[in-house]
Amino acid sequence: MASIVESVLSKLMNKNVLFTVSFLVRLVLVSFGVYQDRTMVVKYTDVDYHVFTDASKFITQGQSPYHRSTYRYTPLLAWILTPNIYLSHVFGKLLFITCDVLSGHLIYLILRQRGLSCEAACRVCSLWLLNPLPAGVSSRGNAESVITALVLATLLCLELRQLPMAAILYGLAVHMKIYPVTYALPIALSLQRKENVEERRVGWWRKGLGFLLRLLNKELFLFAGVAGVVFCGLTVLFYNMYGWDFLQETYLYHLTRRDIRHNFSPYFYMLYLTADSPWSLALGLAAFLPQALLLLLVSLAFHTDLALCCFLHTAIFVSFNKVCTSQYFLWYLCLFPLVLPRLTLSPKQGVELLALWFAGQGIWLAPAYYLEFEGYNTFLLIWLAGLIFLIINSFIMVQIITHYKPSDTMQRLKAE
Amino acid sequence: MFVFFSTCTVYLVLFGSTQADENSCGLSMTWLETVSVTMDVSKNGFHRDLVTTVYFGPGFPDGLEALLVHRLPSGIYIDQYQLASLKEDTGLQVLLGSEVDLEAPAHTSEEFIVLVYPALDQGSLKATLPIHGRYHKPSLAGKRFELVEIKLPKLILRTDTCTQLISFPPYKIVDSPCTVHNLSICQWLEIQHQQEQDPVSLEIPLGDGSLVEPVCAGTLLVTLLCCAILSRSIWRHGVFLDNVILT
């Protein structure tokens, strides 16, 4: 029995087989979803997919997609999904599962670029490709796979030093979802000129000047320029088409979002109880500061390894954010396979940390279920569960940072 | 000829006077008194079903159309997109009086009107409306639940065959959309009843406003602690190559 499993697994780790199987699995899920939606009361398709499709319908009628209430995305997404109206309702889901498998392929390419063998890269990739979470999310019609593909493509282009392409993809990624804007600092730091920092007795202001001069170089200006043009170009285009609604729903809503309804964020209950109080603004700022400080520190500490840096960036951003839903987890899970090969944790430790992460979610989901679907007043328990989840996430991140074996170049530079 | 017409007139007058209790639309007073409305809330938590049933005695007129006019409180909301999907699945026919904000809390929302066209179900008319509780302001007095009361809907009736309703005290005539497609307005008869049933109510959990200080303090303490632990770990293992902090 064990030998059969082993032989199946080794055949699966062939690149072509792996990608074909993962695409077919997602295709089966999409088909099952269509069947379930037609025959059962509980639908497979996510509400978001209906929001996208309704918005696309407005576009085909020559109207603004923002006539669809709760459509809080770029108009580009509704435009891309217009074949949902013209061709088939299932087009969007097929697009999302394709982006999902593409994300897996980009992970494979980045791993190969970082020196992994084909077989090892396949094994790590399979953690994304055969993972039920991204497969389920994209087959249900969520658009997260589009943004994960864009972020991974940006990282791949940066690894290959294809800066114009990386900048275009980065501009597009930030336009679609705001969170990649936090990668700007690590990317800028990784593009600085590499010079030997020899003089150690120079004053701090001299060092600061040297640092700035190394940072503000031709490559950074090229990257910032191209990304800026793409982002601003798209913003101006859609502002002309849809006006203030576009800015409000795509960007401002997310930046000022104070969702007082229960979610994974540790700040949820505090924000709910102080929603109408004069302290609300000060507390919002107090919640922002730890997030900002940690993002700055991570950028300065790990910019030489962009994959680790972006992973920690997003994991910290999501864990310390004022609103956190399970869709956000995919933003850093797609980067985890890039970090995994250099972790010195044993498989047992890895499984324990994974179990801890799931336990943290379970501890939150239980009182949340009783609140929403049974009507018990479990607010205090949800608050405590949110804090526990933050502690668990922080612990896991500390373990990852502690057991990360940097690349040889990084180690040599650290030793100098 | 004159005798014939006068006889006819006498017969018409006599005939007309004995039919005083019947409206020209086939809705007779005696039958209308058999009509009753009950309402109930099923399920638990924030997502409930409002089930309204209209019972009536035998002999209901052909082409009877009923409309339930719900005035729903600000403490709950209806998802028009869910209704659109239910219309395809179960044939539920609902017309919303105004735009409903799906995300606003109760204290910034208002009452709204919902028109429900119930379907005939084994000799009675029944409609199941999915409703959702809004988040309410946290309570300062230790109250753990907010009671949201939903009054019984108004029932209005008409018949398909009817073109002109004649006023029929004590029932009054109102104008409302003829069907859920809202293409034209028809005249309906409003059936008023003694409130046989108290309003139904549902409990919505409330946050505890008296705990605001410990919650804020606890949240900030834990987040700052996690921030400090992570910062320490990043400081120890980071490769601060070219920055100015490291000497």
Side-chain angles (χ1 to χ4, degrees):
Chain A
M1 182 66 199
S3 61
I4 297 172
V5 171
E6 245 182 70
S7 78
V8 166
L9 278 174
S10 71
K11 282 203 174 60
L12 201 55
M13 289 306 130
N14 171 298
K15 183 179 144 209
N16 295 327
V17 173
L18 181 63
F19 284 97
T20 313
V21 165
S22 56
F23 186 77
L24 286 174
V25 163
R26 284 159 174 79
L27 209 58
V28 164
L29 284 173
V30 168
S31 316
F32 176 73
V34 170
Y35 167 76
Q36 181 172 336
D37 285 355
R38 273 202 204 130
T39 55
M40 300 183 208
V41 176
V42 178
K43 307 292 175 200
Y44 185 82
T45 305
D46 195 66
V47 172
D48 279 350
Y49 193 68
H50 296 300
V51 175
F52 303 151
T53 312
D54 290 344
S56 296
K57 203 181 204 165
F58 279 118
I59 285 189
T60 58
Q61 293 164 354
Q63 295 171 22
S64 161
Y66 298 105
H67 286 158
R68 203 319 181 166
S69 119
T70 74
Y71 182 76
R72 298 207 169 95
Y73 313 93
T74 162
L76 194 60
L77 186 62
W79 274 97
I80 294 171
L81 293 179
T82 43
N84 266 21
I85 315 296
Y86 294 130
L87 286 179
S88 160
H89 195 253
V90 110
F91 170 82
K93 289 186 188 177
L94 294 174
L95 176 68
F96 298 150
I97 63 172
T98 309
C99 286
D100 200 19
V101 177
L102 176 65
S103 299
H105 186 62
L106 290 165
I107 293 172
Y108 172 82
L109 290 173
I110 296 174
L111 290 171
R112 294 282 279 139
Q113 187 65 23
R114 282 153 73 93
L116 255 71
S117 72
C118 183
E119 209 209 319
C122 275
R123 264 185 280 132
V124 175
C125 264
S126 64
L127 288 178
W128 176 262
L129 291 166
L130 302 177
N131 189 332
L133 186 60
V137 164
S138 52
S139 61
R140 287 186 72 207
N142 286 107
E144 305 302 323
S145 58
V146 177
I147 189 75
T148 60
L150 283 171
V151 165
L152 286 164
T154 308
L155 286 177
L156 177 65
C157 289
L158 285 168
E159 285 273 340
L160 297 170
R161 294 313 260 201
Q162 305 275 352
L163 290 184
M165 196 64 214
I168 292 171
L169 292 164
Y170 183 65
L172 198 53
V174 175
H175 171 79
M176 291 205 80
K177 273 240 162 41
I178 306 179
Y179 83 88
V181 83
T182 63
Y183 300 159
L185 185 56
I187 291 175
L189 289 171
S190 75
L191 290 176
Q192 63 184 305
R193 273 202 313 270
K194 310 266 181 288
E195 281 173 9
N196 286 331
V197 186
E198 288 177 10
E199 303 148 32
R200 301 216 170 225
R201 283 198 213 132
V202 174
W204 63 267
W205 62 271
R206 238 349 205 339
K207 270 198 179 147
L209 194 62
F211 169 70
L212 267 176
L213 287 174
R214 273 194 308 279
L215 188 65
L216 302 172
N217 63 54
K218 191 184 80 180
E219 285 186 332
L220 177 64
F221 286 132
L222 173 67
F223 186 89
V226 174
V229 161
V230 169
F231 179 76
C232 292
L234 285 168
T235 306
V236 165
L237 170 71
F238 288 124
Y239 182 72
N240 278 332
M241 286 169 81
Y242 303 114
W244 180 252
D245 271 346
F246 154 67
L247 289 176
Q248 169 63 30
E249 302 291 350
T250 312
Y251 300 124
L252 293 175
Y253 168 80
H254 297 284
L255 289 172
T256 59
R257 183 177 182 182
R258 294 288 181 94
D259 206 340
I260 57 166
R261 289 170 298 171
H262 54 286
N263 62 87
F264 283 109
S265 169
Y267 299 108
F268 136 72
Y269 201 29
M270 180 179 91
L271 292 174
Y272 171 35
L273 292 181
T274 58
D276 293 321
S277 109
W279 288 99
S280 168
L281 206 60
L283 286 171
L285 198 64
F288 174 67
L289 289 175
Q291 204 178 25
L293 174 71
L294 286 171
L295 292 182
L296 179 66
L297 268 178
V298 165
S299 306
L300 292 171
F302 297 114
H303 63 264
T304 46
D305 187 335
L306 262 183
L308 175 70
C309 197
C310 291
F311 169 75
L312 288 174
H313 244 254
T314 312
I316 285 169
F317 177 81
V318 168
S319 306
F320 284 83
N321 204 30
K322 294 197 267 285
V323 172
C324 176
T325 68
S326 52
Q327 272 175 333
Y328 295 12
F329 299 158
L330 279 180
W331 298 351
Y332 60 80
L333 283 178
C334 69
L335 297 174
F336 183 65
L338 304 177
V339 167
L340 189 60
R342 296 200 185 146
L343 284 181
T344 59
L345 291 163
S346 69
K348 178 170 169 283
Q349 282 172 309
V351 168
E352 279 171 0
L353 287 178
L354 188 67
L356 194 60
W357 188 67
F358 279 117
Q361 287 179 63
I363 292 171
W364 187 91
L365 286 167
Y369 170 82
Y370 277 101
L371 173 74
E372 193 170 342
F373 296 103
E374 299 293 340
Y376 289 93
N377 189 324
T378 52
F379 279 115
L380 217 52
L381 288 174
I382 294 176
W383 170 62
L384 291 171
L387 295 182
I388 291 173
F389 192 48
L390 177 68
I391 294 170
I392 288 176
N393 280 330
S394 305
F395 175 72
I396 293 175
M397 280 190 274
V398 165
Q399 294 300 304
I400 289 174
I401 293 169
T402 317
H403 292 93
Y404 190 78
K405 195 182 72 161
S407 67
D408 292 335
T409 347
M410 255 180 87
Q411 276 182 316
R412 184 168 43 82
L413 287 164
K414 191 171 180 179
E416 275 174 11
Chain B
M1 199 58 159
F2 173 74
V3 171
F4 174 73
F5 274 121
S6 57
T7 323
C8 283
T9 318
V10 168
Y11 271 121
L12 274 168
V13 167
L14 282 172
F15 188 75
S17 64
T18 56
Q19 297 302 311
D21 74 330
E22 181 161 314
N23 189 288
S24 64
C25 290
L27 297 165
S28 73
M29 184 86 95
T30 37
W31 180 79
L32 285 172
E33 275 165 17
T34 67
V35 176
S36 69
V37 180
T38 59
M39 192 168 74
D40 193 22
V41 173
S42 64
K43 292 190 185 170
N44 298 310
F46 277 78
H47 311 289
R48 311 279 190 121
D49 278 341
L50 194 64
V51 185
T52 321
T53 320
V54 183
Y55 297 101
F56 38 77
F60 67 85
D62 291 332
L64 178 70
E65 298 280 342
L67 175 52
L68 293 159
V69 182
H70 284 275
R71 181 175 279 275
L72 295 176
S74 59
I76 58 173
Y77 68 93
I78 297 224
D79 184 347
Q80 60 256 44
Y81 304 105
Q82 181 188 23
L83 290 179
S85 126
L86 275 176
K87 191 173 176 184
E88 284 172 22
D89 293 338
T90 62
L92 177 70
Q93 305 208 332
V94 177
L95 199 56
L96 276 175
S98 53
E99 274 278 326
V100 178
D101 186 328
L102 304 178
E103 296 167 334
H107 59 277
T108 61
S109 309
E110 286 164 359
E111 281 189 336
F112 60 103
I113 299 211
V114 176
L115 303 176
V116 181
Y117 296 80
L120 197 63
D121 177 32
Q122 294 166 358
S124 60
L125 292 165
K126 195 170 179 188
T128 305
L129 191 62
I131 57 174
H132 309 276
R134 290 193 190 278
Y135 255 62
H136 284 67
K137 253 185 146 159
S139 90
L140 293 165
K143 198 166 68 155
R144 289 169 62 79
F145 296 93
E146 180 71 38
L147 211 63
V148 176
E149 274 187 3
I150 305 176
K151 293 188 282 248
L152 275 183
K154 273 193 233 163
L155 173 66
I156 59 181
L157 299 172
R158 72 179 178 92
T159 50
D160 254 347
T161 50
C162 196
T163 44
Q164 185 69 32
L165 260 182
I166 294 171
S167 177
F168 203 14
Y171 306 114
K172 58 178 183 173
I173 294 180
V174 294
D175 288 328
S176 275
C178 300
T179 64
V180 75
H181 305 291
N182 199 12
L183 295 168
S184 53
I185 302 287
C186 288
Q187 289 190 314
W188 300 73
L189 203 63
E190 187 176 307
I191 315 299
Q192 263 146 348
H193 287 273
Q194 304 284 7
Q195 289 291 339
E196 292 142 9
Q197 195 188 340
D198 292 328
V200 295
S201 56
L202 44 109
E203 284 187 326
I204 301 285
L206 289 178
D208 192 345
S210 63
L211 292 177
V212 68
E213 275 131 21
V215 165
C216 288
T219 308
L220 291 174
L221 194 70
V222 171
T223 49
L224 287 174
L225 199 69
C226 289
C227 178
I229 292 171
L230 267 167
S231 304
R232 183 165 154 266
S233 179
I234 295 168
W235 187 262
R236 268 202 187 156
H237 295 96
V239 184
F240 291 87
L241 276 183
D242 311 298
N243 78 70
V244 300
I245 303 169
L246 203 61
T247 52

